[in-house]
Amino acid sequence: MHRPDICRFAPSTTGPAHPGTLLAALLCWLDAKSRQAQVVLRLEDLDPERCRPEWSTRIIDDLAWFGLYWDDVVQQHERATDHAAAMDQLEALGVLYPCSVGRSELAALGQRAPDGSWVYDNRSRGRALPVGGWRACDEPLRVRLPDDAITLRDESGDDLSQTPSRDLGDPVVRRRDGAFAYQLVVVVDDAAAGVTRVVRGRDLAASTATQVALQKLLNLPTPTYRHHFLLLENHRKKLAKLHGSVDLGQLRPHYDAARLRGKLAHFTGLRATAEPVTLSALLRDFSWERVRRDDLLIAWDGARLVSQESSR
Ligand code: GLU
């Protein structure tokens, strides 16, 4: 029997929502609803340095204001039991090892990874866990990935094949501050929610092969992946994923939700003009064929979001 898909939107709660958050949420939501799938909102709030509970509350509120609704809302910090169980499983496989090699040491090697980080050269692979196992370890922990290539194409046709253990290096799964790391928890939480489709921004594409390698180790299914374009901004003369320049607190006095949906739908390619639009109208004729592929540079002029492409 054909089972309906389960999708998820998984923002990090490191700040208030911004237009890029809404764009990613909208595409994920339209993708899910257009295939009668369930869609879960998962607030990724594990980073003690960067996440704050008030950002979770604001993101939930901004998404609701925008009109999106969810079949379930999960806070990642409530899932620690499953995260620890995955660590136990990795320990039983004998693939966990401590590694205190810092970012500056990796930067000194000078090898950039496909995700923009520095390649880790797996130099601590030979180290053993302390007596007492991973729980007794006060250093960061990495997972020894198999040295196999992962062959992978996402649904949009992008080739995401990598040999993650070589191209990025073994991933950190628990950080020095004790927080479980993104690459591990994303895999555990997607599987626990029964997620079958992951729709997310292209900035995460280069992490996919590592996540698939972890799924294989943990014996978890691999969902279908699709990565979409990003909204970019000029940040210190460099193009960056849109983040800092404008948040929803600044936008909301200038836009109602229908106008902002129209604007983003226009940026996306789903609408020829930026006229206000309802979600049901967007849902009626949603198709990935019409979603632009290239990233889009936008700016905030103090009252409006403007595309830096002359035609928009
Ligand atoms: N929390 C991640 C982010 O906001 C996304 C995780 C994912 O979609 O896999 O960048």
Short mmCIF file of all heavy atoms in Angstrom, two decimals, residues 149-162 197-198 200 205 208-209 212 222-227 293:
data_model
loop_
_atom_site.label_atom_id
_atom_site.label_comp_id
_atom_site.label_asym_id
_atom_site.label_seq_id
_atom_site.Cartn_x
_atom_site.Cartn_y
_atom_site.Cartn_z
N ALA A 149 32.40 5.42 -0.64
CA ALA A 149 31.73 6.53 -1.31
C ALA A 149 30.22 6.39 -1.12
O ALA A 149 29.70 5.29 -1.06
CB ALA A 149 32.07 6.51 -2.79
N ILE A 150 29.56 7.52 -0.99
CA ILE A 150 28.09 7.55 -0.97
C ILE A 150 27.67 8.13 -2.32
O ILE A 150 28.04 9.25 -2.66
CB ILE A 150 27.58 8.45 0.17
CG1 ILE A 150 28.05 7.96 1.54
CG2 ILE A 150 26.06 8.60 0.11
CD1 ILE A 150 27.34 6.74 2.07
N THR A 151 26.94 7.36 -3.08
CA THR A 151 26.47 7.84 -4.38
C THR A 151 25.05 8.33 -4.20
O THR A 151 24.20 7.59 -3.73
CB THR A 151 26.52 6.70 -5.41
OG1 THR A 151 27.84 6.16 -5.37
CG2 THR A 151 26.21 7.19 -6.81
N LEU A 152 24.83 9.57 -4.57
CA LEU A 152 23.57 10.19 -4.18
C LEU A 152 23.21 11.34 -5.11
O LEU A 152 24.06 12.19 -5.40
CB LEU A 152 23.76 10.75 -2.77
CG LEU A 152 22.63 11.38 -2.02
CD1 LEU A 152 21.63 10.31 -1.62
CD2 LEU A 152 23.17 12.07 -0.78
N ARG A 153 21.99 11.32 -5.59
CA ARG A 153 21.48 12.43 -6.38
C ARG A 153 20.20 12.87 -5.69
O ARG A 153 19.40 12.03 -5.29
CB ARG A 153 21.18 11.93 -7.79
CG ARG A 153 21.26 12.97 -8.86
CD ARG A 153 21.18 12.35 -10.24
NE ARG A 153 22.48 12.09 -10.84
CZ ARG A 153 23.30 13.02 -11.32
NH1 ARG A 153 22.96 14.30 -11.25
NH2 ARG A 153 24.44 12.70 -11.85
N ASP A 154 20.02 14.16 -5.51
CA ASP A 154 18.77 14.54 -4.85
C ASP A 154 17.67 14.68 -5.90
O ASP A 154 17.92 14.55 -7.10
CB ASP A 154 18.94 15.76 -3.93
CG ASP A 154 18.89 17.09 -4.63
OD1 ASP A 154 18.80 17.12 -5.87
OD2 ASP A 154 18.94 18.12 -3.93
N GLU A 155 16.46 14.94 -5.43
CA GLU A 155 15.32 14.90 -6.34
C GLU A 155 15.39 15.98 -7.41
O GLU A 155 14.82 15.83 -8.48
CB GLU A 155 14.03 15.04 -5.52
CG GLU A 155 12.81 14.60 -6.24
CD GLU A 155 11.56 14.84 -5.41
OE1 GLU A 155 11.26 16.02 -5.10
OE2 GLU A 155 10.90 13.86 -5.07
N SER A 156 16.12 17.06 -7.13
CA SER A 156 16.22 18.11 -8.15
C SER A 156 17.32 17.78 -9.16
O SER A 156 17.56 18.54 -10.10
CB SER A 156 16.49 19.46 -7.49
OG SER A 156 17.74 19.45 -6.86
N GLY A 157 18.00 16.65 -8.95
CA GLY A 157 19.00 16.21 -9.93
C GLY A 157 20.42 16.58 -9.54
O GLY A 157 21.37 16.23 -10.25
N ASP A 158 20.59 17.28 -8.41
CA ASP A 158 21.95 17.66 -8.00
C ASP A 158 22.72 16.43 -7.51
O ASP A 158 22.19 15.63 -6.73
CB ASP A 158 21.90 18.73 -6.89
CG ASP A 158 21.41 20.07 -7.42
OD1 ASP A 158 21.42 20.26 -8.66
OD2 ASP A 158 21.00 20.91 -6.60
N ASP A 159 23.94 16.32 -7.99
CA ASP A 159 24.78 15.19 -7.60
C ASP A 159 25.42 15.50 -6.24
O ASP A 159 26.23 16.42 -6.13
CB ASP A 159 25.85 14.97 -8.67
CG ASP A 159 26.64 13.70 -8.39
OD1 ASP A 159 26.37 13.02 -7.38
OD2 ASP A 159 27.54 13.39 -9.21
N LEU A 160 25.04 14.75 -5.22
CA LEU A 160 25.55 14.99 -3.86
C LEU A 160 26.52 13.89 -3.44
O LEU A 160 26.79 13.72 -2.25
CB LEU A 160 24.39 15.08 -2.87
CG LEU A 160 23.27 16.07 -3.21
CD1 LEU A 160 22.23 16.09 -2.11
CD2 LEU A 160 23.83 17.47 -3.42
N SER A 161 27.03 13.14 -4.43
CA SER A 161 27.93 12.03 -4.10
C SER A 161 29.20 12.55 -3.45
O SER A 161 29.75 13.58 -3.86
CB SER A 161 28.30 11.28 -5.38
OG SER A 161 27.14 10.84 -6.04
N GLN A 162 29.63 11.83 -2.44
CA GLN A 162 30.87 12.18 -1.74
C GLN A 162 31.42 10.92 -1.09
O GLN A 162 30.70 9.94 -0.90
CB GLN A 162 30.59 13.13 -0.55
CG GLN A 162 30.27 14.55 -0.87
CD GLN A 162 29.86 15.29 0.42
OE1 GLN A 162 29.79 14.71 1.51
NE2 GLN A 162 29.59 16.56 0.28
N ARG A 197 10.58 12.53 3.32
CA ARG A 197 11.02 13.58 2.37
C ARG A 197 11.64 14.73 3.13
O ARG A 197 11.01 15.28 4.04
CB ARG A 197 9.83 14.17 1.61
CG ARG A 197 9.35 13.39 0.46
CD ARG A 197 8.20 14.12 -0.21
NE ARG A 197 8.61 15.29 -1.00
CZ ARG A 197 9.24 15.24 -2.14
NH1 ARG A 197 9.58 14.09 -2.66
NH2 ARG A 197 9.54 16.35 -2.79
N VAL A 198 12.85 15.10 2.74
CA VAL A 198 13.51 16.26 3.33
C VAL A 198 13.66 17.32 2.25
O VAL A 198 14.32 17.09 1.24
CB VAL A 198 14.90 15.88 3.90
CG1 VAL A 198 15.67 17.12 4.32
CG2 VAL A 198 14.74 14.91 5.07
N ARG A 200 14.90 21.17 1.85
CA ARG A 200 15.64 22.17 2.62
C ARG A 200 16.56 22.96 1.70
O ARG A 200 16.72 22.63 0.52
CB ARG A 200 16.44 21.48 3.73
CG ARG A 200 17.42 20.46 3.21
CD ARG A 200 18.08 19.68 4.34
NE ARG A 200 19.04 18.72 3.83
CZ ARG A 200 19.70 17.85 4.57
NH1 ARG A 200 19.52 17.82 5.87
NH2 ARG A 200 20.56 17.02 4.02
N ALA A 205 23.07 20.90 1.39
CA ALA A 205 23.25 19.80 0.43
C ALA A 205 24.55 19.03 0.71
O ALA A 205 24.57 17.80 0.65
CB ALA A 205 23.25 20.34 -0.99
N THR A 208 24.56 16.14 3.20
CA THR A 208 23.64 15.01 3.00
C THR A 208 24.39 13.67 3.00
O THR A 208 23.93 12.70 3.62
CB THR A 208 22.83 15.19 1.71
OG1 THR A 208 22.30 16.52 1.71
CG2 THR A 208 21.69 14.21 1.63
N ALA A 209 25.51 13.59 2.32
CA ALA A 209 26.22 12.30 2.24
C ALA A 209 26.65 11.84 3.64
O ALA A 209 26.56 10.64 3.96
CB ALA A 209 27.42 12.41 1.30
N VAL A 212 23.64 10.41 5.25
CA VAL A 212 23.31 9.08 4.71
C VAL A 212 24.27 8.03 5.30
O VAL A 212 23.85 6.93 5.67
CB VAL A 212 23.34 9.09 3.17
CG1 VAL A 212 23.22 7.69 2.60
CG2 VAL A 212 22.23 9.99 2.62
N THR A 222 16.86 6.01 4.60
CA THR A 222 17.26 7.29 4.00
C THR A 222 16.05 7.91 3.31
O THR A 222 15.44 7.28 2.45
CB THR A 222 18.39 7.05 2.96
OG1 THR A 222 19.56 6.63 3.66
CG2 THR A 222 18.70 8.31 2.17
N PRO A 223 15.68 9.13 3.72
CA PRO A 223 14.56 9.78 3.04
C PRO A 223 14.96 10.26 1.64
O PRO A 223 16.14 10.21 1.28
CB PRO A 223 14.24 10.98 3.94
CG PRO A 223 15.36 11.13 4.90
CD PRO A 223 16.25 9.94 4.81
N THR A 224 13.97 10.72 0.89
CA THR A 224 14.26 11.42 -0.36
C THR A 224 14.68 12.85 0.00
O THR A 224 14.06 13.47 0.87
CB THR A 224 12.97 11.49 -1.22
OG1 THR A 224 12.56 10.16 -1.46
CG2 THR A 224 13.19 12.22 -2.53
N TYR A 225 15.69 13.36 -0.67
CA TYR A 225 16.14 14.74 -0.40
C TYR A 225 15.87 15.63 -1.59
O TYR A 225 16.00 15.20 -2.75
CB TYR A 225 17.64 14.76 -0.10
CG TYR A 225 18.00 14.16 1.24
CD1 TYR A 225 18.34 12.82 1.35
CD2 TYR A 225 17.96 14.93 2.39
CE1 TYR A 225 18.66 12.25 2.58
CE2 TYR A 225 18.28 14.37 3.63
CZ TYR A 225 18.62 13.04 3.72
OH TYR A 225 18.93 12.50 4.94
N ARG A 226 15.52 16.88 -1.31
CA ARG A 226 15.46 17.90 -2.36
C ARG A 226 16.00 19.19 -1.75
O ARG A 226 15.59 19.57 -0.65
CB ARG A 226 14.03 18.11 -2.85
CG ARG A 226 13.93 19.23 -3.88
CD ARG A 226 12.50 19.51 -4.29
NE ARG A 226 12.04 18.63 -5.33
CZ ARG A 226 12.23 18.84 -6.64
NH1 ARG A 226 12.90 19.90 -7.06
NH2 ARG A 226 11.74 18.00 -7.52
N HIS A 227 16.90 19.84 -2.47
CA HIS A 227 17.48 21.10 -1.99
C HIS A 227 17.06 22.23 -2.91
O HIS A 227 17.02 22.06 -4.12
CB HIS A 227 19.01 20.96 -1.90
CG HIS A 227 19.42 19.93 -0.89
ND1 HIS A 227 19.55 18.60 -1.21
CD2 HIS A 227 19.66 20.03 0.44
CE1 HIS A 227 19.87 17.91 -0.11
NE2 HIS A 227 19.94 18.77 0.90
N ARG A 293 15.95 27.92 -9.81
CA ARG A 293 17.06 27.07 -9.39
C ARG A 293 18.19 27.92 -8.79
O ARG A 293 18.87 27.50 -7.86
CB ARG A 293 17.62 26.28 -10.59
CG ARG A 293 16.59 25.42 -11.28
CD ARG A 293 16.54 24.05 -10.70
NE ARG A 293 17.83 23.41 -10.76
CZ ARG A 293 18.12 22.27 -10.18
NH1 ARG A 293 17.19 21.63 -9.50
NH2 ARG A 293 19.32 21.75 -10.27
#
